[in-house]
Amino acid sequence: MNIKIDHKLLAHLKEKNAENITISYKGIPSCKGLEFDPLVRPSLPKEEKINDYSLYEAEGINIYLDKYIEVLKPEELYIYFSKVGMTENYFAQLS
């Protein structure tokens, strides 16, 4: 799997001295039932759930990837974020 981190996100993480990203696979309720999307957090996974993740490294950042995402066998993982005012939103795109 090829992992790419957006240059803005990489600069943002280095500015905050953050070295870890956790990507979970979460169900989000919708009118169609549950839709599953990656949930990205700039932190370590909870200690009691660390075995549910695989560790990857890209550009000096540790990426903890939910094993349910690995089952999908994505060829590429692109991680990026947007900042509006004080709000930071982190995203992952699988392809």
Side-chain angles (χ1 to χ4, degrees):
M1 173 179 16
N2 185 25
I3 299 175
K4 294 182 180 178
I5 302 175
D6 180 74
H7 70 281
K8 291 179 189 176
L9 174 57
L10 193 57
H12 177 74
L13 292 171
K14 289 186 178 186
E15 180 182 300
K16 291 189 162 204
N17 293 322
E19 300 175 340
N20 302 295
I21 292 176
T22 298
I23 303 175
S24 303
Y25 206 44
K26 297 293 180 186
I28 301 169
S30 74
C31 60
K32 300 175 189 175
L34 285 179
E35 293 185 16
F36 288 88
D37 284 320
L39 173 66
V40 181
R41 292 171 299 185
S43 62
L44 287 168
K46 292 180 181 177
E47 191 173 324
E48 64 271 11
K49 299 212 175 218
I50 197 113
N51 292 329
D52 295 342
Y53 295 85
S54 295
L55 176 60
Y56 292 88
E57 189 274 332
E59 301 189 50
I61 302 296
N62 297 318
I63 300 165
Y64 291 86
L65 186 64
D66 192 317
K67 289 183 179 179
Y68 288 113
I69 293 175
E70 282 188 314
V71 170
L72 301 174
K73 298 183 180 181
E75 290 182 23
E76 185 171 283
L77 173 63
Y78 178 62
I79 308 166
Y80 60 103
F81 93 122
S82 69
K83 185 173 181 179
V84 178
M86 299 295 289
T87 304
E88 297 173 354
N89 294 301
Y90 298 81
F91 304 96
Q93 183 176 356
L94 308 169
S95 58

